[in-house]
Amino acid sequence: MALFILRRIGAGLVMLVALSMLVFVLLRLAPGDPVDAYIDPSAPLSPTEMAETRARLGLDRPLPVQYLAWMRQVAAGELGYSLQRNHEPVARLLSERIGPTLLLMGSGLVIAIIVGIAAGIVSAVNRGRPLDVALSVPAFVGISSPAFLTALVGLFVFSVILRWAPSGGMRTPGLPPSTGDLLRHLVLPACLLSIGHAALIMRYMRASLIEVLNQDYVRTARSKGVRERWVIVKHAVRNALLPVVTLIGSTLGAAVGGAIFIESVFNWPGMGLMLINAVEARDYPVIMAATLVVGACVLVANILTDIAYAAVDPRIKIA
Amino acid sequence: MAERAPLLELRGLRTVFRVRGREITPVDGVDLAIGAGETVALVGESGSGKSVTALSVMRLLPGTARIDAGQAILHRETGPVDLAGLDAEAMRAVRGAAIGMVFQEPMTSLNPVLTIGDQITEPLLVHGRCSRAQAGERAVAMLEAVGVPDPARRLAAYPHELSGGMRQRAMIAMALICRPGLLIADEPTTALDVTIQAQIVDLLEGLQREMGMGILFVTHNLGVVADMAHRVAIMYAGRIVEEGPVAEVFARPLHPYTRGLLASVPRPGEALALRRAGGRLAAVPGQVPSLMNLPRGCAFSTRCTLATDLCRAMPPDRVSPGPGRGVRCHHWAAA
């Protein structure tokens, strides 16, 4: 088990290095220049001054040299300083932002998993009946709606029209920080983030459980006089969860993408909002660091998925 | 043979399936009796309705099927009950407690994510027979009785850690742990190697001597029938075409289909001699008719060498040519 986790972490580090190279190169290929952001529109910089700024930031050196310099720093635990934002240390920016993002993504995923699995079970057990149809129609809508659309429509309906929840931010300005206030701000973006995933998980759970309910061992359980409720909960659901666990693991990456949309729509002070702002300003150190952190989160989540898989299925031996 | 107390009596049992808007009748008026401690073999080709008969008794039919007519009387200590008329909860109380069932595929009939111990103790626990700790002890004893070595350790094993033969033994332990009066074994040896088949048949015979349960043994293997059954019923296209004590039916088959079945069983020595002599194993010509399109008269008339206009026009009724024997053929006396 320990060996398995070590191996997975090793492979994950290699992936992270590859990811950082890719992002590094893509960023430099993209049009735009971070120095542009330094230009005060009322007092244009002369070309000499621009070159000096570029040299001071190390942006005039060849790409591989820049990359290696950045790598050396990262390896030493130094993520650098933002080119914008008053040269704040990237590490501090990240540490402020990662908490809200994990909170939002985590709650969104937990809601998606609970709702998706429960709805999938109900739908499969009532296959073809009105309840199944009533659950399947919204599921199809949920799967087909892109994150930015659900975010905007949800914001409009629940905050603007119904006024059930605040329309953005993480806290009410002027109020002392409290859990209740935080939850009020969290519930709408988390629910909207969960919609697409809940719908996908529900469809998978439904299909998987319908297949499992036709298996011989389900008939065996019935032949022993097990109550139908227990046949489903004890004998069928655990088997049906196997493919769903894989699905949840592989959608975590997509969940990050969805979180970025939600954060920008709801002005949620997380990594996604920071990343978007950084991309607009070509704030290279922040983009690089944020990408790495997001990548690391996805890799950790995938390792957890594998461990969860082994916990559900005794036929899989982790070694 | 001493008269046995009745255990299960099927009276005109009829099970229909809805398939693409049409109804088919895989079990069409089956009469069959099993006495206490008796082994009755239900024999037939694939699609003859023998497994559907077994599942009808257990009321484990798929959602598209229903018992349309007839009775399945189970004689219990508390008196006879018609299984076909029980409500779901009463039927659940019968399954696993009064009737145990073993299925064909030991590889897929055990739940892959639950331990053997969990699955074997389950009937005791769902029927409230004993505490969890006692159930564990009884499971060990039962596994020992079905010949699983090192039973205490096997309780913690998962099905994939056991061989096919061991899994089928575990299935049998599971079906018998509540000491039911009736065991329904639906082709329990078909998926196993020949040597393992013989072991399982021996095991069932031994358990029957010990526990005294009646066995409904569904199979297409006539060798197994000869080995362990007291009586045999031959099924064709949803009906029992011949039944009687095994020795009598095998010595003097009255239905042309039974004769065809017996003649098509290869005995290694004879088959070799036959081949050397340039002959071939006798096969019943043709195929089982589709249930969607059964002949109007005797269902076997399309393959029968003795068939006459009478056979093609009118299905034969059951006649009883001797004690305990029955046959559905217009021309049985010609045999």
Side-chain angles (χ1 to χ4, degrees):
Chain A
M1 187 75 179
L3 187 70
F4 165 81
I5 295 172
L6 276 178
R7 251 200 340 247
R8 286 299 308 260
I9 290 175
L13 287 176
V14 175
M15 291 285 292
L16 276 183
V17 171
L19 177 70
S20 70
M21 281 187 199
L22 187 69
V23 175
F24 198 88
V25 171
L26 283 177
L27 273 181
R28 302 306 153 110
L29 288 177
D33 187 334
V35 177
D36 292 349
Y38 281 74
I39 302 172
D40 182 346
S42 58
L45 288 178
S46 71
T48 336
E49 283 170 315
M50 277 184 70
E52 272 171 17
T53 312
R54 201 170 276 124
R56 181 162 51 81
L57 295 170
L59 294 167
D60 57 343
R61 288 185 286 171
L63 264 191
V65 176
Q66 287 188 41
Y67 178 75
L68 284 176
W70 177 82
M71 243 346 242
R72 211 171 14 246
Q73 282 195 322
V74 170
E78 177 60 69
L79 290 171
Y81 296 86
S82 168
L83 298 183
Q84 323 296 337
R85 296 179 178 272
N86 310 318
H87 299 275
E88 270 193 77
V90 173
R92 196 168 77 210
L93 279 175
L94 282 178
S95 64
E96 282 168 9
R97 295 300 188 114
I98 196 161
T101 289
L102 286 180
L103 179 66
L104 178 61
M105 270 189 60
S107 346
L109 275 176
V110 168
I111 295 172
I113 290 170
I114 293 174
V115 171
I117 289 178
I121 293 173
V122 172
S123 209
V125 172
N126 294 287
R127 180 188 187 185
R129 302 211 194 107
L131 193 54
D132 178 25
V133 179
L135 286 169
S136 293
V137 171
F140 274 118
V141 174
I143 290 174
S144 329
S145 312
F148 68 88
L149 186 69
T150 22
L152 286 173
V153 171
L155 179 73
F156 183 68
V157 173
F158 295 105
S159 292
V160 179
I161 299 181
L162 296 170
R163 297 187 173 279
W164 284 357
S167 63
M170 205 164 78
R171 300 188 190 288
T172 313
L175 282 182
S178 72
T179 316
D181 187 46
L182 177 63
L183 284 178
R184 245 194 320 282
H185 283 82
L186 175 64
V187 68
L188 184 57
C191 286
L192 292 174
L193 178 60
S194 74
I195 286 180
H197 298 281
L200 198 62
I201 292 171
M202 181 254 178
R203 296 302 302 170
Y204 260 74
M205 188 67 199
R206 178 183 181 274
S208 175
L209 187 57
I210 284 174
E211 196 185 310
V212 166
L213 284 173
N214 283 321
Q215 295 292 314
D216 288 349
Y217 53 79
V218 170
R219 190 180 57 186
T220 304
R222 291 188 179 127
S223 81
K224 294 192 283 190
V226 178
R227 268 170 231 281
E228 190 58 26
R229 181 174 296 264
W230 274 106
V231 170
I232 290 161
V233 173
K234 181 178 170 187
H235 288 266
V237 164
R238 228 180 118 187
N239 283 287
L241 275 178
L242 298 175
V244 177
V245 169
T246 318
L247 170 82
I248 293 169
S250 61
T251 53
L252 285 172
V256 175
I260 290 176
F261 280 119
I262 298 274
E263 284 185 7
S264 61
V265 170
F266 282 86
N267 203 28
W268 186 265
M271 301 245 308
L273 193 57
M274 179 180 76
L275 193 56
I276 287 181
N277 293 337
V279 168
E280 280 170 359
R282 312 273 174 250
D283 195 343
Y284 293 156
V286 173
I287 299 173
M288 290 299 297
T291 315
L292 278 191
V293 170
V294 169
C297 287
V298 171
L299 286 169
V300 168
N302 283 343
I303 295 175
L304 290 178
T305 309
D306 282 345
I307 294 172
Y309 207 87
V312 186
D313 190 347
R315 286 166 294 188
I316 292 173
K317 284 269 187 298
I318 284 184
Chain B
M1 189 168 50
E3 194 65 26
R4 295 174 191 270
L7 175 62
L8 178 74
E9 288 175 82
L10 306 186
R11 295 180 189 158
L13 191 71
R14 195 178 128 94
T15 302
V16 297
F17 277 65
R18 273 201 90 77
V19 181
R20 275 175 258 113
R22 287 188 56 188
E23 285 200 336
I24 58 167
T25 313
V27 177
D28 191 4
V30 163
D31 297 297
L32 187 67
I34 302 171
E38 184 181 40
T39 302
V40 173
L42 190 56
V43 179
E45 289 170 270
S46 306
S48 60
K50 56 193 194 301
S51 281
V52 177
T53 304
L55 290 174
S56 299
V57 173
M58 281 298 257
R59 299 259 308 271
L60 286 174
L61 295 163
T64 51
R66 64 169 204 279
I67 296 176
D68 185 54
Q71 294 175 306
I73 310 290
L74 181 70
H75 295 269
R76 309 187 66 175
E77 283 141 34
T78 49
V81 282
D82 178 13
L83 299 178
L86 285 185
D87 64 50
E89 179 59 23
M91 191 62 222
R92 189 192 65 74
V94 168
R95 290 189 201 116
I99 310 178
M101 186 152 184
V102 178
F103 297 94
Q104 178 174 357
E105 278 290 340
M107 308 313 263
T108 57
S109 293
L110 288 164
N111 194 321
V113 302
L114 299 176
T115 62
I116 296 291
D118 195 356
Q119 298 185 62
I120 291 183
T121 52
E122 198 169 23
L124 290 172
L125 300 174
V126 299
H127 295 295
R129 292 293 180 86
C130 61
S131 72
R132 194 165 281 277
Q134 288 170 317
E137 287 168 26
R138 284 178 65 174
V140 172
M142 198 65 223
L143 276 181
E144 186 141 35
V146 298
V148 171
D150 201 359
R153 243 189 30 177
R154 289 279 188 269
L155 287 190
Y158 286 95
H160 71 274
E161 295 166 327
L162 269 58
S163 68
M166 282 302 142
R167 289 189 213 192
Q168 199 59 303
R169 285 172 195 266
M171 282 291 296
I172 292 170
M174 201 160 77
L176 292 179
I177 195 156
C178 286
R179 301 198 153 250
L182 175 65
L183 175 70
I184 298 180
D186 187 3
E187 307 216 31
T189 60
T190 306
L192 301 173
D193 286 339
V194 178
T195 50
I196 310 290
Q197 286 183 10
Q199 291 175 14
I200 296 291
V201 167
D202 285 349
L203 172 68
L204 285 173
E205 283 182 306
L207 289 167
Q208 188 178 42
R209 275 194 298 275
E210 217 172 284
M211 303 171 66
M213 74 280 183
I215 302 179
L216 175 60
F217 199 100
V218 177
T219 183
H220 60 245
N221 186 333
L222 291 169
V224 171
V225 175
D227 197 11
M228 74 172 292
H230 301 112
R231 289 196 308 123
V232 59
I234 314 285
M235 214 167 163
Y236 188 84
R239 290 201 167 102
I240 289 177
V241 295
E242 175 159 14
E243 64 168 304
V246 170
E248 287 180 36
V249 172
F250 278 25
R252 202 167 75 88
L254 298 178
H255 197 284
Y257 178 61
T258 313
R259 285 200 292 277
L261 273 187
L262 287 169
S264 59
V265 176
R267 291 166 198 80
E270 287 174 30
L272 193 62
L274 201 62
R275 200 179 75 185
R276 290 213 176 105
R280 306 235 7 191
L281 206 59
V284 182
Q287 283 173 349
V288 183
S290 158
L291 289 172
M292 288 281 204
N293 192 18
L294 281 180
R296 199 154 54 89
C298 170
F300 189 61
S301 62
T302 52
R303 302 168 75 182
C304 184
T305 50
L306 303 177
T308 58
D309 288 344
L310 173 67
C311 303
R312 284 181 277 270
M314 211 176 72
D317 286 331
R318 182 181 185 276
V319 288
S320 186
R325 292 206 68 173
V327 63
R328 274 178 190 271
C329 176
H330 291 301
H331 305 294
W332 68 271

